[in-house]
Amino acid sequence: MNKILLAVVAAFLLLPNVYATKLVKIVKNESSVQIRTPDGELSLYKEGEKVPELLYGSKIIAGSKPVSVQFFNTAVIVLEKNQGIFFTKDPINKTIEIYKLETKSKDQKIKVILPGNITAYFGADAKITLKEQFPSIYLGVKTGFATVEDSDGTFCKLAEGDDYEAKQNLLNDF
């Protein structure tokens, strides 16, 4: 009886955390995007086709033109030709963890656009995190390095354990 109750409680707590729902979505697809779900199912969506809700643990790979993936309705990762990412959610601290997939892309860095026209880049050596604490988005580096270019052109290098806070402009962002 205890095992059945434990299974029901575990399913109740874990099921809402499987789908990324509104936290992660494809907002721009100029040609095609491949999505591989955690169970290995591969789906291809062409420009104009509706992409269903994404599952945490999915791999997203851009086709021949850029694909924009939005996180927390504010941060956007731009995948150039053949670039790919893998994203999961840390259930303890509610951050989204992202790393670059090794693909046939010639572009080494993946671009992240944060609120306030702040641009960040990370490569295959990095695993980054995104966390929202309204009105801020925190870009963190779990492993490797990331580079952030502020709106005034100042560069800063983030190493493992570093966070960068990008505040949303509540008057202009909505």
Side-chain angles (χ1 to χ4, degrees):
M1 182 67 170
N2 287 341
K3 289 182 182 180
I4 295 171
L5 181 61
L6 181 62
V8 170
V9 169
F12 180 72
L13 293 175
L14 295 177
L15 282 179
N17 292 324
V18 173
Y19 285 96
T21 59
K22 296 177 183 174
L23 298 182
V24 182
K25 59 187 169 193
I26 307 286
V27 291
K28 187 176 182 185
N29 176 13
E30 294 183 14
S31 66
S32 65
V33 60
Q34 288 183 5
I35 299 175
R36 184 176 299 272
T37 59
D39 63 1
E41 182 183 331
L42 180 65
S43 300
L44 178 68
Y45 300 95
K46 303 246 184 235
E47 180 182 12
E49 290 183 339
K50 184 176 181 339
V51 178
E53 290 184 341
L54 300 172
L55 295 168
Y56 289 115
S58 293
K59 296 176 182 177
I60 302 171
I61 301 171
S64 61
K65 292 188 179 175
V67 171
S68 298
V69 185
Q70 187 178 58
F71 295 83
F72 299 112
N73 292 324
T74 53
V76 176
I77 290 184
V78 179
L79 300 175
E80 297 296 336
K81 180 180 179 179
N82 297 322
Q83 283 187 328
I85 59 170
F86 173 79
F87 72 96
T88 61
K89 182 179 180 184
D90 184 327
I92 296 170
N93 60 16
K94 308 286 190 227
T95 60
I96 295 178
E97 298 177 355
I98 305 157
Y99 68 84
K100 180 182 185 289
L101 294 174
E102 289 299 321
T103 61
K104 56 185 175 182
S105 172
K106 295 185 186 337
D107 294 320
Q108 298 299 314
K109 303 279 185 192
I110 290 185
K111 182 179 184 179
V112 182
I113 302 170
L114 299 169
N117 292 328
I118 297 168
T119 307
Y121 298 93
F122 69 97
D125 63 336
K127 180 185 276 188
I128 65 163
T129 61
L130 291 172
K131 183 174 184 174
E132 181 180 47
Q133 286 182 322
F134 191 77
S136 297
I137 293 288
Y138 291 89
L139 178 128
V141 178
K142 196 164 187 175
T143 59
F145 298 94
T147 305
V148 177
E149 182 181 3
D150 217 335
S151 57
D152 62 357
T154 306
F155 283 92
C156 117
K157 188 172 185 177
L158 302 177
E160 188 173 320
D162 291 343
D163 285 327
Y164 184 89
E165 179 183 9
K167 291 189 178 191
Q168 297 178 48
N169 184 339
L170 299 177
L171 297 176
N172 293 332
D173 289 347
F174 294 104

